[in-house]
Each structure stands twice: as structure tokens, then as C-alpha cells.
Amino acid sequence: MAVRKKNAANTIFLIVAYTFCILLALLSLLPFVIMFVNATRSTTEIQAHAVSLIPSKYLKANFEYLTSATFNPLKGFINSLIVSVGVTACTIYFSTMTAFAIVAYDWKLKQPFFTLIMCVLMIPAQVTSIGFYQFIYKIGMTNNYLSLILPAIASPTTVFFMRQYMIPSLPMEILQSARIDGAGEFRIFNQIVLPMMKPAMATQAIFAFVSSWNNLFLPSIIITKNEKYTMPMMVSLLNGDIYKTEFGVVYLGLFLTVLPLLVVYFLLSKYIIAGVALGGVKG
């Protein structure tokens, strides 16, 4: 009797848990559904009913208007992809290397160096934007994607996350064994440390890619040539003038901007799930 009651209680708990998870999933997907539906609607329909789950017939017209304006989806996609991939690669590789130097080695100024990184973490990017632009202008790197990619080498947030992940997950015995076998430090880092850090790297890669892809403030300062505009910069031009804005076209531009982010998330999510499962087994 007691076992039967326990099984019934477990069944009820599972039903409630799955129902709650399904509701959360639906709530998470709802903004994307609304954005896609609005991309198929006209401005009049959106102004009359901002929220609708029924697609309309204006998707082709919105896309034709989108491509006939200053918005070039393919060019903006390529430009944003160049910047975002470069930023993500620099952020992940060099931040992991910095965290490895903090965790794996004992040197005199290690703690003051980490404290300095934490202090830099508290400084908003907008505070340094004027000085950064003056510096980029003086060295002649405006309208150059390197001015957006190279600063990603110094990413305090990623360094902090990698350090916290590395402290319990990086076995020093393996590193010592590799050194005894004659492996150099760069080989140890590239062939031993990086594979162990895949879950953390995948997590931070999603954050870095999304942040760089959605970044509008800094590219708007550095990039002034139309052919070098990124996707967010092009979408910002779709607002039109004070008299008329094609909201369906704006939603379509936003939808095209979000698509690569979803692809990146689905490609890297398996590494995050694997890391969570590995942590559960270790626990």
C-alpha cells in the first residue's frame, strides 16, 4: 500500500514538473513566434493588433521592401559574421589562456593581477568609449573590423568564469605528467587544457557571439561606411522617418538578425549539456 502511494506521488510530481517545463518552454518560444508572425504582417495590421499568432500574407512584400531599401541582408550577415566569429575566437582562446596562467602557475603578482581584472570588470564600456574612439582614430583604424575584434582579447568576465570553472575541473597531476614527458606549455594548453574546457568554452562562446552580434553602440562609433555595416546597424536604419515606419519590415529584419544566434546556440548546446552531465557524474 505504501509503495503504491509513493508511486502515485512520484507520478503526480512528474506530471507537474513536465507541465511546468512545457509552460516555460512555450513562454520562451512565444517572443520568437510573435516576431516571425509580425514579419508576415503589414504595418496596419501590427498597429491594430500588436500581438497575434496567426500569420498574414505580407511576408513576400516585406522582404521585397527590405531588400529594396538600404538593408542588404547578405552583406550585413557576412559583416556581422566576420566580427562575431573573430570576437568569439579571441575572447575564448585568450581568456582561457589567462585563466590557465592564474590557476596553473604560482607567481608573485598573481593575486594583484586577478584583482586588477575584477576592477576592470566593473568599468562600463561606455565610460571608455570616447578615449577608445580617439585612440582608434589617431592610429587610422576606423572602418576596420580589427578595431572591433582585437579588444576582445581582454575580456574580464570570461576570464573570471574560466578561472572559476578551471579551479575544480583541471587536474594538476595530468599537467605535471605532460611536463615530465617533455611537452611544452603551449602544447599542454592546446592539447590538454582546451579539450577539458569545452563545456565552459561553449557556454562563453554563446555569450560572446550573442553579445558581439547584437552590439550596436561600438560599431556605430567605429564604422561609418555603408558597405561595412553590421546587421544591427542595418536594422536600426529600418525605423524610417518620423512620419512612417514599416513595422513588418522591421520585424523581418529582426527575425533575420536572430536566426544566426539560434543556430549558434543549437550547435553549442550539446557541449553545455555534456558538461552538466559530467559535473553530475563527478558530484
Side-chain angles (χ1 to χ4, degrees):
M1 190 68 180
V3 174
R4 189 175 298 175
K5 288 183 178 179
K6 185 177 180 180
N7 291 336
N10 290 337
T11 303
I12 294 174
F13 175 78
L14 289 175
I15 293 174
V16 173
Y18 279 115
T19 303
F20 183 70
C21 290
I22 291 172
L23 289 175
L24 286 180
L26 292 176
L27 288 175
S28 300
L29 293 174
L30 185 60
F32 298 101
V33 174
I34 293 175
M35 180 171 56
F36 173 73
V37 170
N38 282 344
T40 66
R41 303 167 71 201
S42 66
T43 301
T44 305
E45 292 175 338
I46 295 174
Q47 289 176 335
H49 302 283
V51 178
S52 176
L53 298 179
I54 303 175
S56 187
K57 58 182 180 180
Y58 294 95
L59 179 62
K60 183 179 179 181
N62 289 339
F63 185 77
E64 290 176 352
Y65 185 92
L66 181 69
T67 53
S68 65
T70 56
F71 191 94
N72 187 339
L74 181 61
K75 187 64 176 177
F77 176 84
I78 294 174
N79 294 341
S80 289
L81 192 65
I82 293 172
V83 175
S84 299
V85 170
V87 167
T88 303
C90 290
T91 298
I92 300 304
Y93 186 81
F94 289 101
S95 296
T96 307
M97 183 180 292
T98 305
F100 177 68
I102 295 174
V103 173
Y105 302 111
D106 290 325
W107 39 290
K108 188 174 181 181
L109 298 177
K110 180 170 74 171
Q111 190 57 41
F113 179 74
F114 181 69
T115 303
L116 177 63
I117 292 176
M118 291 298 96
C119 292
V120 174
L121 178 62
M122 301 177 187
I123 302 176
Q126 290 79 2
V127 174
T128 60
S129 59
I130 297 177
F132 178 74
Y133 175 77
Q134 290 177 341
F135 173 74
I136 293 298
Y137 180 78
K138 288 180 180 179
I139 63 176
M141 286 189 64
T142 55
N143 291 306
N144 192 328
Y145 291 143
L146 289 178
S147 59
L148 299 174
I149 296 174
L150 293 181
I153 292 175
S155 178
T157 305
T158 310
V159 171
F160 175 75
F161 181 89
M162 292 297 183
R163 174 186 177 272
Q164 298 304 110
Y165 184 91
M166 197 176 292
I167 289 175
S169 303
L170 187 64
M172 296 300 170
E173 296 80 8
I174 296 180
L175 305 184
Q176 294 296 339
S177 300
R179 293 189 181 102
I180 293 173
D181 292 339
E185 296 302 318
F186 277 100
R187 185 178 179 184
I188 291 174
F189 176 74
N190 291 321
Q191 297 185 6
I192 297 177
V193 176
L194 289 183
M196 291 182 178
M197 297 292 292
K198 274 186 178 180
M201 292 168 61
T203 304
Q204 290 302 305
I206 291 175
F207 292 146
F209 189 90
V210 171
S211 176
S212 175
W213 188 276
N214 291 333
N215 190 10
L216 175 63
F217 176 73
L218 197 58
S220 297
I221 296 176
I222 303 298
I223 305 299
T224 57
K225 293 183 179 180
N226 292 341
E227 63 270 16
K228 289 183 175 291
Y229 277 7
T230 59
M231 285 285 281
M233 295 176 69
M234 290 185 177
V235 171
S236 67
L237 299 177
L238 296 176
N239 289 328
D241 53 31
I242 60 175
Y243 301 104
K244 183 175 179 61
T245 297
E246 294 292 337
F247 291 107
V249 178
V250 173
Y251 276 106
L252 181 57
L254 292 174
F255 180 74
L256 294 176
T257 304
V258 168
L259 277 180
L261 304 181
L262 298 177
V263 173
V264 169
Y265 175 77
F266 286 121
L267 288 177
L268 298 179
S269 60
K270 62 179 181 179
Y271 296 106
I272 301 174
I273 296 172
V276 172
L278 181 61
V281 172
K282 287 182 178 179

